[in-house]
């Protein structure tokens, strides 16, 4: 469905979600626009992964709403979410290690029209020459960094409108982290939006347009990535939250 130019691509409102009786997200508001890179930061256990899971339909939306491209997605399930144009690359570069690189991509392309699959696989591989050269090798023969690239390529096969990456840097050397984040910035030029969960705050901020910080299932800071002294503001947001219990979202655009 077409949306107006200034409407967010992803619009999360008052989202509550968790695991059975364990409520983790307590009313999260977050937006991502087309072609925007948004970093989602926060301490361990803040609920970042849970938020990605709820957006991608892997967890129920207990309250609030998830709109994507002007369409309500909450509780429609992971398959519908993927069809709508969201690709979720989960943490830990989970690939099929006994399958070849090409077959891993073919599996990701399973519900695309048969005639388009080969070209989509080539397109996804074109982002990562390192693994394109290994297309007939098994996933198990790839390095950790190459497995992460394959996991991202699996998401790209579907030409998503929103790519959600959960800690793509985990276990990677700094050089490989830069390689993967370099692809993220180039994706922005194609109009693809990216929601990036990262522990490497500096690297995430360096590629992002906007930043959210989550603590104990609530947004405690939303700010442009260019905000002066952002690192200090993030620290204060985490700390203030812990000290004072639940705090409302802190908006800190540059003056
Ligand atoms: P990290 O950076 O450590 O991955 P996070 O911000 O992504 O942290 P989540 O993984 O979303 O945090 O976890 C939020 C809370 O949900 C934590 O208290 C965690 O223990 C709990 N949790 C996560 N996964 C599950 C699960 N499968 N079942 C029950 N509780 C879970």
């Amino acid at each position: 469905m077409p949306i107006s130019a200034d409407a967010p691509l992803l619009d999360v409102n008052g989202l509550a979600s968790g695991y059975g009786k364990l409520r983790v997200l307590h009313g999260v508001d977050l937006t991502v626009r087309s072609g925007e890179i948004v970093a989602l930061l926060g301490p361990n256990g803040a609920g970042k992964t849970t938020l990605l899971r709820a957006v991608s339909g892997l967890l129920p939306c207990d309250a609030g709403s998830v709109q994507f491209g002007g369409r309500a997605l909450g509780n429609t399930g992971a398959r519908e979410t993927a069809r709508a144009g969201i690709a979720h690359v989960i943490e830990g570069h989970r690939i099929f290690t006994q399958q070849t690189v090409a077959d891993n991509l073919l599996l990701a392309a399973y519900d695309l029209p048969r005639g388009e699959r080969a070209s989509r696989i080539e397109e996804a591989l074109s982002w990562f020459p390192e693994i394109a050269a290994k297309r007939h090798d098994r996933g198990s023969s790839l390095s950790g960094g190459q497995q992460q690239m394959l996991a991202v390529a699996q998401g790209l096969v579907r030409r998503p409108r929103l790519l959600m990456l959960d800690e793509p840097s985990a276990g990677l050397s700094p050089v490989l982290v830069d390689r993967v984040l370099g692809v993220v910035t180039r994706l922005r030029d194609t109009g693809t939006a990216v929601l990036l969960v990262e522990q490497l705050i500096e690297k995430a901020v360096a590629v992002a347009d906007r930043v959210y910080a989550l603590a104990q299932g609530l947004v405690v800071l939303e700010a442009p990535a260019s905000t002066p002294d952002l690192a200090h503001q993030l620290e204060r947001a985490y700390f203030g939250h812990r000290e004072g219990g639940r705090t409302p979202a802190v908006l800190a655009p540059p003056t």
Side-chain angles (χ1 to χ4, degrees), residues 19 22 24 42-51 53 91 167 199:
Y19 305 88
L22 176 67
V24 173
N44 289 338
K48 304 179 296 294
T49 294
T50 303
L51 178 55
R53 286 180 182 150
E91 190 179 352
E167 295 208 26
Q199 290 290 353

Side-chain angles (χ1 to χ4, degrees), residues 137-221:
D137 297 357
R138 283 190 181 187
S140 56
S141 73
L142 302 183
S143 70
Q146 290 167 340
Q147 289 189 4
Q148 181 62 64
M149 290 176 195
L150 178 54
V152 176
Q154 282 180 312
L156 294 179
V157 160
R158 308 183 63 85
R159 264 191 214 155
R161 288 197 283 166
L162 172 66
L163 179 69
M164 300 196 301
L165 297 175
D166 198 346
E167 295 208 26
S169 73
L172 301 196
S173 68
V175 172
L176 285 175
V177 172
D178 289 343
R179 280 277 299 113
V180 172
L181 293 183
V183 169
V184 167
T185 44
R186 278 161 51 216
L187 274 172
R188 172 173 43 202
D189 300 336
T190 70
T192 307
V194 179
L195 181 55
L196 172 69
V197 167
E198 233 339 308
Q199 290 290 353
L200 299 179
I201 296 175
E202 269 181 40
K203 290 206 183 268
V205 170
V207 299
D209 300 301
R210 237 162 14 96
V211 168
Y212 285 88
L214 209 59
Q216 295 178 29
L218 282 169
V219 171
V220 290
L221 179 80

Side-chain angles (χ1 to χ4, degrees), residues 4 39-40 69 89 96 104 110 130 136-137 177 179 188 195 234 241:
S4 69
L40 181 58
V89 179
F96 296 100
N104 267 278
Y110 75 100
E130 291 96 325
H136 301 303
D137 297 357
V177 172
R179 280 277 299 113
R188 172 173 43 202
L195 181 55
L234 283 167
H241 186 87

Side-chain angles (χ1 to χ4, degrees), residues 12-13 15 17 36 56 68 79 86 90 93 113 123 125 141 147 158 170-171 189 196 203 224-225 233 235 237 245 251:
V12 175
N13 260 297
L15 179 64
S17 186
E36 188 180 35
S56 67
F68 184 70
R79 185 178 290 236
I86 297 179
I90 60 176
H93 43 81
E123 183 181 301
L125 283 173
S141 73
Q147 289 189 4
R158 308 183 63 85
D189 300 336
L196 172 69
K203 290 206 183 268
Q233 290 204 36
E235 197 181 310
L251 295 172

